[in-house]
Amino acid sequence: MIIDIPEGQEPIGYVWGDMVPGIGMAAANFSLSVYEHTTLGLREFEAARLRIAQINGCVFCLDWRTERDGEKVEDGFADAVTEWRTTDVFDERTRLAAEYAERYAVDHHGLDEEFWARMTARYSQAEIVELSMSIGSWLAFGRLNHVLGLDSVCVLPGQ
């Protein structure tokens, strides 16, 4: 970790809250809102989130599984995300979510008419905006945590 954390301070809370309270708290609220207010299905949400975690290399994000109403994606789902092009366990929306996350992160200039035709055939405009904002949140904050080394010391609140 490249940030000096005072003894007794929780790293995420210190960096995101104490160091830059004006920005950090707003970022934290945005990050939390992606989980609290999503209308996307759990599998497509997790496919996009995990693909960004894989690209970012965020240890905490790779280990995390979103839970909704006591449900989580099945064991092996992360492996399927890695193989999103060929896996037979994804429907088209889930596959598109993983593809969009990858292309958003590493080839956003390559999002062409062919891709958008497939995307708009399966997702509403509101869902595309929501997925884009979610991907942007995961890309920015997961990468921030990884680059600063916070992902290796990250813990969930209350743990």
Side-chain angles (χ1 to χ4, degrees), residues 69-136:
D69 301 323
E71 298 285 324
K72 290 185 179 183
V73 293
E74 69 275 8
D75 290 339
F77 189 84
D79 293 332
V81 170
T82 302
E83 302 297 326
W84 64 264
R85 288 171 183 82
T86 57
T87 186
D88 60 359
V89 300
F90 284 177
D91 63 16
E92 276 306 302
R93 281 178 60 98
T94 305
R95 187 179 316 282
L96 274 167
E99 178 183 359
Y100 184 41
E102 180 176 305
R103 293 179 73 175
Y104 186 105
V106 300
D107 186 27
H108 62 284
H109 292 287
L111 293 169
D112 55 13
E113 289 181 28
E114 182 275 330
F115 170 79
W116 287 117
R118 289 186 293 116
M119 192 69 173
T120 57
R122 299 278 191 240
Y123 284 88
S124 71
Q125 289 183 352
E127 289 173 322
I128 291 170
V129 170
E130 180 179 333
L131 187 56
S132 299
M133 288 184 174
S134 296
I135 291 169

Side-chain angles (χ1 to χ4, degrees), residues 2-46:
I2 66 165
I3 304 297
D4 295 325
I5 308 297
E7 191 171 330
Q9 291 285 329
E10 189 278 315
I12 292 290
Y14 177 74
V15 171
W16 284 58
D18 295 342
M19 290 187 81
V20 290
I23 298 171
M25 293 312 298
N29 286 333
F30 175 46
S31 181
L32 290 172
S33 72
V34 165
Y35 294 88
E36 292 175 1
H37 302 292
T38 187
T39 64
L40 299 168
L42 180 61
R43 292 178 65 77
E44 58 219 29
F45 184 89
E46 278 294 273

